[in-house]
Amino acid sequence: MNRIFTIGAWTGGLGLGLLLLIVLLDLSYPNPLFTVFLIMGLIGVFASAALLLLQDVLGLRRALKERGLPAILIVLVILAAIRIEIFI
């Protein structure tokens, strides 16, 4: 694991934790805590997604330097299959 993955995992976990806290505390819109926790939670989740995508791009760049084009094509097919499976 590298530093980008660790930061992305922690950011996503904290963002999901804040969103779960909204549900557990039964907060709704007029409450200022709802607004604060919602914004912070969504920022955490989307920042985590961006960091994990950055890690994928950097991994592809590193693999291209080390192994060449066949390894990149294999990794791209695997990543595409994983990403498509998540959204189906």
Side-chain angles (χ1 to χ4, degrees):
M1 274 197 298
N2 60 12
R3 177 174 271 167
I4 295 175
F5 178 80
T6 305
I7 293 171
W10 276 101
T11 305
L14 291 174
L16 288 175
L18 286 172
L19 295 176
L20 182 63
L21 191 62
I22 290 173
V23 173
L24 292 177
L25 294 178
D26 196 27
L27 299 175
S28 59
Y29 171 65
N31 192 338
L33 287 178
F34 171 79
T35 306
V36 171
F37 287 165
L38 181 69
I39 291 172
M40 289 172 48
L42 289 176
I43 288 173
V45 169
F46 284 111
S48 172
L51 286 171
L52 294 177
L53 181 65
L54 176 67
Q55 180 199 5
D56 288 345
V57 170
L58 292 176
L60 288 174
R61 183 173 159 244
R62 183 176 46 247
L64 182 60
K65 285 182 178 179
E66 294 174 0
R67 295 181 193 96
L69 190 59
I72 292 295
L73 292 177
I74 292 171
V75 170
L76 282 176
V77 168
I78 292 171
L79 285 176
I82 290 171
R83 302 293 184 198
I84 291 171
E85 185 66 31
I86 289 173
F87 291 114
I88 291 180

Short mmCIF file of all heavy atoms in Angstrom, two decimals, residues 1-2 5-6 15 17 28 30 33 35-36 43 48-49 58-61 67 70-72 81 88:
data_model
loop_
_atom_site.label_atom_id
_atom_site.label_comp_id
_atom_site.label_asym_id
_atom_site.label_seq_id
_atom_site.Cartn_x
_atom_site.Cartn_y
_atom_site.Cartn_z
N MET A 1 0.84 -1.18 0.00
CA MET A 1 0.00 0.00 0.00
C MET A 1 0.88 1.24 0.00
O MET A 1 1.89 1.29 0.68
CB MET A 1 -0.87 0.02 1.24
CG MET A 1 -2.15 -0.75 1.09
SD MET A 1 -3.39 -0.36 2.32
CE MET A 1 -2.61 -0.84 3.82
N ASN A 2 0.45 2.22 -0.74
CA ASN A 2 1.21 3.45 -0.74
C ASN A 2 0.44 4.54 -0.01
O ASN A 2 -0.68 4.34 0.46
CB ASN A 2 1.60 3.86 -2.16
CG ASN A 2 0.39 4.08 -3.04
OD1 ASN A 2 -0.72 4.15 -2.55
ND2 ASN A 2 0.62 4.20 -4.32
N PHE A 5 -3.14 5.62 -1.43
CA PHE A 5 -4.22 4.69 -1.10
C PHE A 5 -4.63 4.83 0.36
O PHE A 5 -5.82 4.82 0.69
CB PHE A 5 -3.80 3.24 -1.38
CG PHE A 5 -4.85 2.25 -1.01
CD1 PHE A 5 -5.91 2.02 -1.85
CD2 PHE A 5 -4.79 1.56 0.19
CE1 PHE A 5 -6.91 1.12 -1.51
CE2 PHE A 5 -5.77 0.66 0.55
CZ PHE A 5 -6.84 0.44 -0.31
N THR A 6 -3.66 4.97 1.24
CA THR A 6 -3.97 5.09 2.67
C THR A 6 -4.78 6.35 2.95
O THR A 6 -5.78 6.30 3.67
CB THR A 6 -2.66 5.12 3.48
OG1 THR A 6 -1.90 3.96 3.17
CG2 THR A 6 -2.93 5.15 4.96
N GLY A 15 -15.61 10.04 5.59
CA GLY A 15 -16.78 10.59 4.91
C GLY A 15 -18.01 9.72 5.10
O GLY A 15 -19.10 10.20 5.41
N GLY A 17 -18.41 7.61 7.52
CA GLY A 17 -18.74 7.68 8.94
C GLY A 17 -19.59 8.89 9.28
O GLY A 17 -20.54 8.80 10.07
N SER A 28 -32.09 16.08 10.35
CA SER A 28 -32.79 16.48 9.14
C SER A 28 -32.40 17.91 8.78
O SER A 28 -31.64 18.56 9.50
CB SER A 28 -34.30 16.35 9.32
OG SER A 28 -34.72 17.14 10.40
N PRO A 30 -33.36 21.26 8.77
CA PRO A 30 -33.20 22.53 9.51
C PRO A 30 -32.05 22.51 10.52
O PRO A 30 -31.56 23.56 10.91
CB PRO A 30 -34.52 22.74 10.22
CG PRO A 30 -35.49 21.86 9.53
CD PRO A 30 -34.70 20.73 8.95
N LEU A 33 -26.24 20.85 12.14
CA LEU A 33 -25.32 19.72 12.12
C LEU A 33 -25.53 18.86 10.88
O LEU A 33 -24.58 18.28 10.35
CB LEU A 33 -25.49 18.87 13.38
CG LEU A 33 -24.94 19.46 14.67
CD1 LEU A 33 -25.22 18.52 15.83
CD2 LEU A 33 -23.47 19.74 14.56
N THR A 35 -26.34 19.93 7.89
CA THR A 35 -25.66 20.58 6.78
C THR A 35 -24.15 20.41 6.87
O THR A 35 -23.48 20.08 5.88
CB THR A 35 -26.01 22.08 6.76
OG1 THR A 35 -27.43 22.21 6.74
CG2 THR A 35 -25.43 22.76 5.55
N VAL A 36 -23.59 20.59 8.05
CA VAL A 36 -22.14 20.49 8.23
C VAL A 36 -21.66 19.06 7.99
O VAL A 36 -20.71 18.84 7.23
CB VAL A 36 -21.75 20.97 9.65
CG1 VAL A 36 -20.28 20.67 9.93
CG2 VAL A 36 -22.04 22.44 9.82
N ILE A 43 -17.75 15.62 0.74
CA ILE A 43 -16.40 16.00 0.31
C ILE A 43 -15.43 14.86 0.57
O ILE A 43 -14.57 14.55 -0.26
CB ILE A 43 -15.95 17.30 1.01
CG1 ILE A 43 -16.72 18.48 0.44
CG2 ILE A 43 -14.45 17.51 0.86
CD1 ILE A 43 -16.48 19.78 1.18
N SER A 48 -12.01 10.90 -1.71
CA SER A 48 -11.49 9.54 -1.69
C SER A 48 -11.55 8.91 -3.08
O SER A 48 -10.59 8.27 -3.51
CB SER A 48 -12.30 8.70 -0.70
OG SER A 48 -11.95 7.35 -0.80
N ALA A 49 -12.65 9.10 -3.77
CA ALA A 49 -12.77 8.56 -5.13
C ALA A 49 -11.72 9.16 -6.05
O ALA A 49 -11.10 8.45 -6.86
CB ALA A 49 -14.17 8.82 -5.68
N LEU A 58 -1.49 6.54 -11.59
CA LEU A 58 -0.06 6.45 -11.29
C LEU A 58 0.45 5.01 -11.39
O LEU A 58 1.57 4.77 -11.81
CB LEU A 58 0.23 7.02 -9.90
CG LEU A 58 0.04 8.53 -9.76
CD1 LEU A 58 0.27 8.96 -8.31
CD2 LEU A 58 0.95 9.29 -10.70
N GLY A 59 -0.39 4.05 -11.01
CA GLY A 59 -0.01 2.65 -11.16
C GLY A 59 0.14 2.25 -12.61
O GLY A 59 1.06 1.50 -12.98
N LEU A 60 -0.75 2.75 -13.46
CA LEU A 60 -0.64 2.47 -14.89
C LEU A 60 0.63 3.10 -15.46
O LEU A 60 1.32 2.49 -16.29
CB LEU A 60 -1.86 3.00 -15.63
CG LEU A 60 -3.15 2.22 -15.41
CD1 LEU A 60 -4.30 2.92 -16.09
CD2 LEU A 60 -3.00 0.81 -15.94
N ARG A 61 0.94 4.29 -15.03
CA ARG A 61 2.16 4.97 -15.51
C ARG A 61 3.40 4.19 -15.10
O ARG A 61 4.33 4.00 -15.88
CB ARG A 61 2.18 6.39 -14.94
CG ARG A 61 3.33 7.20 -15.40
CD ARG A 61 3.17 8.63 -14.92
NE ARG A 61 4.46 9.28 -14.94
CZ ARG A 61 5.10 9.74 -13.89
NH1 ARG A 61 4.54 9.66 -12.70
NH2 ARG A 61 6.26 10.31 -14.00
N ARG A 67 7.04 -2.49 -17.38
CA ARG A 67 6.71 -3.74 -18.06
C ARG A 67 6.33 -3.58 -19.52
O ARG A 67 6.35 -4.55 -20.26
CB ARG A 67 5.58 -4.43 -17.32
CG ARG A 67 5.99 -4.86 -15.94
CD ARG A 67 4.85 -5.54 -15.23
NE ARG A 67 5.17 -5.67 -13.83
CZ ARG A 67 4.77 -4.83 -12.90
NH1 ARG A 67 4.04 -3.79 -13.21
NH2 ARG A 67 5.10 -5.01 -11.64
N PRO A 70 1.87 -4.73 -23.07
CA PRO A 70 0.99 -5.86 -22.75
C PRO A 70 0.51 -5.85 -21.31
O PRO A 70 -0.66 -6.16 -21.04
CB PRO A 70 1.87 -7.08 -23.03
CG PRO A 70 2.88 -6.62 -24.01
CD PRO A 70 3.13 -5.19 -23.67
N ALA A 71 1.36 -5.48 -20.39
CA ALA A 71 0.94 -5.42 -18.99
C ALA A 71 -0.10 -4.32 -18.79
O ALA A 71 -1.05 -4.50 -18.02
CB ALA A 71 2.15 -5.16 -18.09
N ILE A 72 0.05 -3.21 -19.47
CA ILE A 72 -0.92 -2.11 -19.36
C ILE A 72 -2.28 -2.55 -19.88
O ILE A 72 -3.30 -2.25 -19.26
CB ILE A 72 -0.42 -0.88 -20.15
CG1 ILE A 72 0.79 -0.28 -19.49
CG2 ILE A 72 -1.51 0.17 -20.28
CD1 ILE A 72 0.51 0.28 -18.12
N ALA A 81 -13.27 -4.01 -15.95
CA ALA A 81 -14.23 -5.01 -15.48
C ALA A 81 -14.66 -4.74 -14.05
O ALA A 81 -15.84 -4.85 -13.71
CB ALA A 81 -13.60 -6.41 -15.59
N ILE A 88 -22.97 -1.74 -12.05
CA ILE A 88 -24.12 -2.51 -12.56
C ILE A 88 -24.97 -2.99 -11.41
O ILE A 88 -24.62 -3.26 -10.38
CB ILE A 88 -23.66 -3.68 -13.44
CG1 ILE A 88 -23.07 -3.12 -14.73
CG2 ILE A 88 -24.79 -4.62 -13.73
CD1 ILE A 88 -22.57 -4.17 -15.69
#
